[in-house]
Amino acid sequence: MYVGEQLPSLEIPVTRTLIVAGAVASRDYQDVHHDAESARQKGSPDIFMNILTTNGLVGRYITDHFGPTAELRRVAIRLGAPNYPGDTMALTGTVEEVEGDTATVRVLGENGIGRHVTGTVTVTVPPDAPPVAPPQAPSGTASGGAR
């Protein structure tokens, strides 16, 4: 891990199931995350992903890259363009700072209408951690790489 290291892109299909399952798993029962008609009545063209699902996907992106022993120390994200069903979110990352076994990674997630998520993740990787194999993306998507 080194300053300037580019994490491989990870493309995540944004499905209706992913949006609803993420909302239910995070106990976010707001109707805009599961009821298309209610979402339209509130001005959205369709249901959209909640921030907790995005937060989990960002965390997964980092741990897929740095391995199963990596520990997320801080995740600070901000949402932008919504993730709607049928789109794809592409996550990318760049290591901005390294101090010992801890790195700060700038993360960006874009979809067809713009930037969905921006932020930083601070991650600690134990020095004796074994190298990791490239993570497997959901079928039909690009995958990330090893550290």
Side-chain angles (χ1 to χ4, degrees):
M1 129 178 103
Y2 57 91
V3 172
E5 177 181 358
Q6 300 286 311
L7 280 63
S9 177
L10 176 65
E11 293 185 0
I12 300 171
V14 180
T15 65
R16 207 167 282 284
T17 300
L18 175 62
I19 293 169
V20 173
V24 171
S26 61
R27 296 182 179 190
D28 183 346
Y29 303 116
Q30 298 251 347
D31 55 5
V32 294
H33 303 306
H34 66 84
D35 184 329
E37 185 55 35
S38 289
R40 282 190 283 279
Q41 288 174 359
K42 293 178 179 176
S44 178
D46 205 339
I47 64 171
F48 54 91
M49 186 175 286
N50 72 356
I51 192 169
L52 296 171
T53 303
T54 299
N55 196 64
L57 292 169
V58 167
R60 171 207 162 185
Y61 175 61
I62 297 298
T63 59
D64 276 0
H65 180 74
F66 290 102
T69 59
E71 296 179 22
L72 301 179
R73 299 295 184 178
R74 181 172 183 271
V75 178
I77 62 170
R78 174 174 243 158
L79 293 185
N83 265 341
Y84 293 117
D87 208 341
T88 298
M89 178 175 63
L91 289 169
T92 57
T94 304
V95 175
E96 289 193 328
E97 184 179 323
V98 175
E99 188 173 315
D101 59 358
T102 301
T104 300
V105 181
R106 165 106 7 232
V107 176
L108 173 64
E110 295 185 302
N111 60 32
I113 56 176
R115 288 188 173 171
H116 171 67
V117 62
T118 56
T120 58
V121 178
T122 303
V123 59
T124 298
V125 182
D128 58 345
V132 295
Q136 297 297 311
S139 62
T141 63
S143 66
R147 65 181 161 103

